[in-house]
Amino acid sequence: MAAAERAWGAVADVARLCRRLCHVVTPSTIKKQPLHQYVRRPLFPMRAALSNTVRFMFIQTQDTPNPNSLKFIPGKPVLETRTMDFPTPAAAFRSPLARQLFRIEGVKSVFFGPDFITVTKENEELDWNLLKPDIYATIMDFFASGLPLVTEETPPGEAGSSEEDDEVVAMIKELLDTRIRPTVQEDGGDVIYRGFEDGIVRLKLQGSCTSCPSSIITLKSGIQNMLQFYIPEVEGVEQVMDDESDEKEANSP
């Protein structure tokens, strides 16, 4: 009798596991969670089959002010304390994950934050529902591989305060790091200090902010107003383009 109960219990466990693996997300489920989705996928399917233990990775997605950019939150640290921007496939040579994401048709740029990955698609006509499965799979396969996120060290784009900075520049950098950058990173992007001259603060936008329709509003109504409020020496804010592709992107309608 005990053996029969154990056998029946094992059958029930297998049935429950099959129902979990065959779970289908219905339209009603998507409607209830419009901003966050998760994917269940065995990270080590062969090992899981042998040990009867299935491991899953949950990835959340979050909208950004840019309709062409989407934040993917893997639930694991990405760069932890800094950010890295990959505006073109050529810039992705130093990151295996960025290179794999660029191989997905329709991906225009990639941005790594402390705990998120922002992917920007080429245009509004591309459906996120068609891109997401490949992006999910690429991110999960990368974290399962154990490969380093960055294979070649490069100097961070943002320079911290140094002894050579005067008082005004030090205040600008501190305000950017403590009040402005965390807010911009919440929207899947970043803002990098590029200099201060004749009352003008020069900043570089990255990630979802690069091609966002509201980027100018972010600079003028948000960042500029905050800097001027705390630092009277600041007369304005100017966006910096690192190359021709950035300038072309900023000037596009």
Side-chain angles (χ1 to χ4, degrees):
M1 187 67 178
E5 291 179 353
R6 287 196 297 272
W8 176 254
V11 171
D13 290 339
V14 172
R16 284 193 295 269
L17 179 59
C18 290
R19 285 195 296 271
R20 291 178 61 191
L21 293 177
C22 299
H23 172 70
V24 178
V25 179
T26 63
S28 60
T29 305
I30 296 176
K31 186 176 181 180
K32 292 178 182 177
Q33 299 178 344
L35 297 181
H36 298 83
Q37 298 178 358
Y38 64 85
V39 173
R40 294 180 171 187
R41 179 179 179 183
L43 293 182
F44 306 96
M46 293 303 296
R47 188 186 303 176
L50 294 175
S51 63
N52 292 326
T53 302
V54 180
R55 300 182 181 183
F56 298 108
M57 181 177 183
F58 294 81
I59 299 179
Q60 292 181 315
T61 60
Q62 182 176 316
D63 291 337
T64 73
N66 185 351
N68 290 332
S69 297
L70 194 63
K71 283 178 66 175
F72 292 81
I73 307 172
K76 297 176 178 291
V78 180
L79 286 180
E80 297 190 15
T81 59
R82 61 190 183 103
T83 63
M84 186 173 289
D85 191 32
F86 305 95
T88 63
F93 71 93
R94 58 188 182 273
S95 171
L97 176 56
R99 290 199 301 269
Q100 292 298 322
L101 289 171
F102 270 112
R103 291 179 181 177
I104 301 174
E105 185 175 358
V107 171
K108 180 181 180 181
S109 64
V110 177
F111 178 81
F112 294 160
D115 58 356
F116 65 87
I117 300 164
T118 299
V119 177
T120 300
K121 61 181 182 176
E122 292 180 348
N123 53 64
E124 295 183 2
E125 284 70 28
L126 289 170
D127 190 347
W128 275 118
N129 291 326
L130 299 178
L131 292 176
K132 284 179 183 178
D134 287 339
I135 297 175
Y136 286 140
T138 299
I139 294 174
M140 287 188 289
D141 288 343
F142 170 79
F143 279 103
S145 71
L147 293 172
L149 188 73
V150 179
T151 56
E152 181 177 332
E153 278 299 325
T154 57
E158 168 66 14
S161 297
S162 66
E163 294 181 357
E164 297 179 358
D165 291 339
D166 60 27
E167 183 178 356
V168 174
V169 171
M171 291 174 61
I172 291 173
K173 289 184 176 182
E174 181 179 1
L175 194 58
L176 285 171
D177 286 339
T178 59
R179 300 292 298 274
I180 296 174
R181 295 185 67 203
T183 301
V184 177
Q185 288 176 8
E186 282 293 319
D187 289 336
D190 202 359
V191 55
I192 306 300
Y193 175 81
R194 289 296 192 223
F196 176 67
E197 185 177 356
D198 297 330
I200 304 299
V201 180
R202 303 172 74 240
L203 301 173
K204 163 71 175 174
L205 296 179
Q206 294 183 332
S208 64
C209 300
T210 303
S211 58
C212 180
S214 60
S215 60
I216 300 300
I217 298 177
T218 299
L219 278 174
K220 298 299 182 179
S221 299
I223 299 176
Q224 178 173 294
N225 288 348
M226 178 173 289
L227 289 174
Q228 289 178 330
F229 179 82
Y230 288 100
I231 308 173
E233 290 83 355
V234 173
E235 298 178 6
V237 173
E238 177 183 294
Q239 183 176 358
V240 175
M241 305 298 172
D242 283 347
D243 50 41
E244 293 181 1
S245 61
D246 287 342
E247 185 173 0
K248 180 179 179 181
E249 182 67 38
N251 294 331
S252 62

